[in-house]
Amino acid sequence: MLKNSTKSYGWATICMHWLQAVTILFMFGLGLYMVDLTYYDPWYRGSLELHKSIGIMLMVLWAAMLLWRFANTNPKPEPGPAWEQLAAKAMHWVLYLTIGSLLISGYLISTADGRSIAVFDLFQVPALPALIENQETVVGEIHEILAWSLIGLVILHFAAAMKHHFLNKDNVLRRMIRPLGQSR
Ligand code: HEM
């Protein structure tokens, strides 16, 4: 079952979700590690190039997840109070929005000096003309705030998943681990 059903996520969403989750956590760790390196550290350039390349790949994954989301059914919320269902929906959209803004801000920092981004030496993503003065510094601050906000949201999101699984004992987490069968 590749596509979602009204009961469960399908393999496409499940694989993209966990790939995105692991990559974002890795990128956060890499970002924290990078900012402590000095110019003379052998990994200074390499870690930055890796961060930028993965960032562009994440943009593709983010867009694919959104397109896939609009292209097929989504599982109905598990029984629960209306406010909780609304909060879960809002959280998913805030996650998408924060990830998108984080990725765009990363692109704007990297291309502020007019240089394109080399993605794993495979292809180049061209730069746009600078949009604001001091773009690298201003957007750099925004990028950092967004990264920490995303981690805060992910902690809340993780706590909600644990609550569903261990307290409510419903299928919310199970259906994001493997498809739970067809029901349209
Ligand atoms: C960086 C880490 C993560 C990000 C960015 C993320 C993002 C998202 C997004 C955007 C959705 C909505 C999918 C959709 O319907 O289109 C989602 C759903 C979900 N996530 Fe995550 N997630 C992350 C980590 C985790 C972790 C660690 C867990 C649990 C251990 C988890 C459990 C779930 C579950 C159970 C759903 C489905 C919720 C439902 O059916 O209402 N996620 N996640």
Side-chain angles (χ1 to χ4, degrees):
M1 186 178 133
L2 197 66
K3 292 182 84 176
N4 300 342
S5 70
T6 50
K7 203 176 164 196
S8 179
Y9 289 104
W11 282 120
T13 303
I14 294 173
C15 292
M16 287 194 282
H17 171 266
W18 293 111
L19 180 62
Q20 183 191 51
V22 170
T23 314
I24 284 177
L25 294 177
F26 172 77
M27 286 286 271
F28 185 71
L30 183 62
L32 286 180
Y33 166 76
M34 259 166 48
V35 291
D36 279 341
L37 295 181
T38 66
Y39 186 77
Y40 300 102
D41 194 287
W43 249 91
Y44 180 81
R45 269 186 68 84
S47 59
L48 189 61
E49 295 308 316
L50 184 64
H51 195 76
K52 291 198 275 187
S53 294
I54 298 178
I56 297 292
M57 300 313 284
L58 260 175
M59 263 187 189
V60 176
L61 182 61
W62 177 83
M65 263 191 97
L66 274 178
L67 284 176
W68 186 251
R69 191 177 210 288
F70 287 120
N72 70 112
T73 332
N74 274 298
K76 286 208 192 90
E78 288 284 302
W83 70 264
E84 202 178 271
Q85 296 181 353
L86 193 72
K89 206 170 180 179
M91 172 59 106
H92 294 165
W93 286 114
V94 172
L95 278 169
Y96 277 121
L97 192 73
T98 312
I99 298 166
S101 315
L102 184 64
L103 295 171
I104 291 168
S105 64
Y107 166 84
L108 291 177
I109 302 167
S110 308
T111 55
D113 59 2
R115 276 188 297 165
S116 55
I117 300 176
V119 182
F120 296 116
D121 280 333
L122 291 175
F123 60 95
Q124 302 273 334
V125 177
L128 287 174
L131 303 173
I132 52 166
E133 221 173 286
N134 278 333
Q135 182 162 306
E136 201 168 337
T137 317
V138 176
V139 185
E141 303 251 335
I142 296 173
H143 190 69
E144 195 182 337
I145 294 169
L146 285 169
W148 282 103
S149 308
L150 180 59
I151 292 304
L153 291 169
V154 167
I155 292 171
L156 282 178
H157 176 67
F158 172 76
M162 294 299 111
K163 176 197 172 275
H164 276 284
H165 194 68
F166 293 109
L167 297 181
N168 302 6
K169 300 190 193 312
D170 59 22
N171 282 329
V172 165
L173 180 59
R174 263 187 285 269
R175 69 188 184 183
M176 195 38 118
I177 291 175
R178 61 180 171 80
L180 298 181
Q182 294 278 16
S183 166
R184 277 170 188 279

